[in-house]
Amino acid sequence: MAARKRSTLRFSRHGAVGVLTLDRAAKRNALSDRLVEELEAFLAAPPAGLRALVLNGAGEHFCAGLDLAELSDRSAAEGVAHSRFWHRVFDRLQFGTLPVVAVLHGAVVGGGLELAAAAHVRVAETSAFYAFPEGQRGIFLGGGGSVRVPRLIGAHRVADMMFTGRVLSAEEGQAAGISTYLVNAGAGLKKGLELAKKMAQNAPATNYALMHALPRIAELGQDAGLMMEALVAGIAQSEPEAKKRMKDFLEKRGAKVRKG
Ligand code: 1HE
């Protein structure tokens, strides 16, 4: 009997928060078709009761991007289909059922950066570095990187990274807007779990609006955007959970806003 291949993902549970780890450290967590298929299967049916997810990478790097060993024999049509496959899976991450905190360290390059850009919050360790080697390899972004990453850092920075092979340090990535938290080496998972636990406690309607409405509203013109915001605001505040939370505050049971 053929031995079943080892999974490319590892999952662990911390109450309502899960940690999903890209688990191909020997290949720097390069995104093989199998890994992306396993990611799709996980996102299609996450464990019951999960409210938020941390996504990280095993070993010294978050992710080396596309598995280059699988690229060489593809026709143009197969390349389009492959890119659309990644789009489907990364969209499922961005517009799925769980808010995702990506914890980044070491190489976050090519498809690895495209994957990280589909998460909702990014925590970087100081070891993280960002690049789009596609420019030097004679290929192009294919995992949504030309759509999502310009929205984080601007098309001009993406063009610079691809034209010149520029590698951004963790500090440069933080200043540019890739990450919104920068922590010491080895501290990323703890920070990611802390943030995911907070996200898991939000009202489901709020998380839904943040994942599904906010990115769409941000793409609209002012007039349609304000109308859509009003609709989402009305729906969210009419939820029993929102009413309960506002009552809790007024009756001195809810937490005050404090400086960090
Ligand atoms: C790989 C890959 C990979 C490593 N595909 N096998 N991505 C890139 O162009 C990045 C290519 N990788 C690197 O630049 C470096 O490997 C790293 C900076 C990420 C890590 O360096 P290091 O010194 O820790 O590792 P290494 O010795 O380079 O690699 C260890 C092994 O991982 C080695 O295999 P081995 O069998 O010789 O041990 C490498 O071949 C393998 N490996 N990265 C396949 N990417 C759909 S559009 C998206 C397009 C892209 O993402 S393009 C960007 C591709």
Side-chain angles (χ1 to χ4, degrees):
M1 198 176 81
R4 199 175 175 282
K5 272 197 183 164
R6 182 178 169 277
S7 172
T8 59
L9 297 174
R10 185 165 18 105
F11 177 73
S12 65
R13 179 118 193 200
H14 305 252
V17 172
V19 177
L20 190 65
T21 302
L22 308 178
D23 198 17
R24 292 186 79 207
K27 296 291 179 187
R28 305 320 185 236
N29 303 319
L31 300 174
S32 60
D33 286 354
R34 179 144 181 271
L35 188 153
V36 180
E37 280 160 9
E38 289 188 0
L39 179 60
E40 181 171 39
F42 178 91
L43 295 170
L50 217 57
R51 300 280 303 265
L53 192 65
V54 173
L55 178 70
N56 67 359
E60 298 303 308
H61 303 280
F62 174 70
C63 177
L66 178 71
D67 189 326
L68 294 168
E70 295 183 355
L71 180 71
S72 48
D73 288 338
R74 251 177 232 146
S75 68
E78 286 166 345
V80 172
H82 186 266
S83 173
R84 298 300 287 162
F85 159 53
W86 278 28
H87 290 166
R88 186 176 78 229
V89 180
F90 293 7
D91 259 11
R92 187 144 218 173
L93 183 93
Q94 182 180 2
F95 299 113
T97 56
L98 299 170
V100 179
V101 181
V103 173
L104 310 174
H105 73 299
V108 184
V109 305
L113 179 48
E114 296 182 295
L115 175 62
H120 304 97
V121 173
R122 278 161 293 280
V123 174
E125 296 190 359
T126 46
S127 64
F129 57 95
Y130 310 98
F132 279 129
E134 286 89 335
Q136 282 59 55
R137 309 235 183 271
I139 56 176
F140 191 63
L141 302 160
S146 59
V147 173
R148 292 194 184 91
V149 186
R151 286 173 185 161
L152 295 176
I153 67 175
H156 62 302
R157 285 200 183 86
V158 175
D160 181 12
M161 290 166 80
M162 290 193 65
F163 273 132
T164 67
R166 182 170 185 168
V167 178
L168 300 184
S169 66
E171 291 75 14
E172 288 171 324
Q174 172 80 9
I178 294 176
S179 58
T180 51
Y181 296 87
L182 183 59
V183 299
N184 288 333
L189 181 58
K190 183 165 177 276
K191 186 71 185 175
L193 280 169
E194 175 194 316
L195 297 171
K197 281 181 181 153
K198 287 186 188 171
M199 291 154 79
Q201 286 163 17
N202 290 339
T206 301
N207 280 350
Y208 186 86
L210 290 173
M211 292 171 64
H212 292 264
L214 177 62
R216 293 181 165 105
I217 293 172
E219 295 304 316
L220 294 172
Q222 177 153 327
D223 191 49
L226 293 177
M227 185 63 213
M228 172 98 101
E229 178 187 275
L231 294 173
V232 176
I235 293 169
Q237 76 194 29
S238 68
E239 285 283 306
E241 178 69 22
K243 296 200 185 309
K244 178 185 168 301
R245 287 175 184 228
M246 286 183 271
K247 188 161 180 279
D248 282 350
F249 176 77
L250 294 172
E251 292 173 2
K252 312 289 181 208
R253 291 187 300 273
K256 285 189 193 183
V257 178
R258 303 270 188 211
K259 277 198 282 186

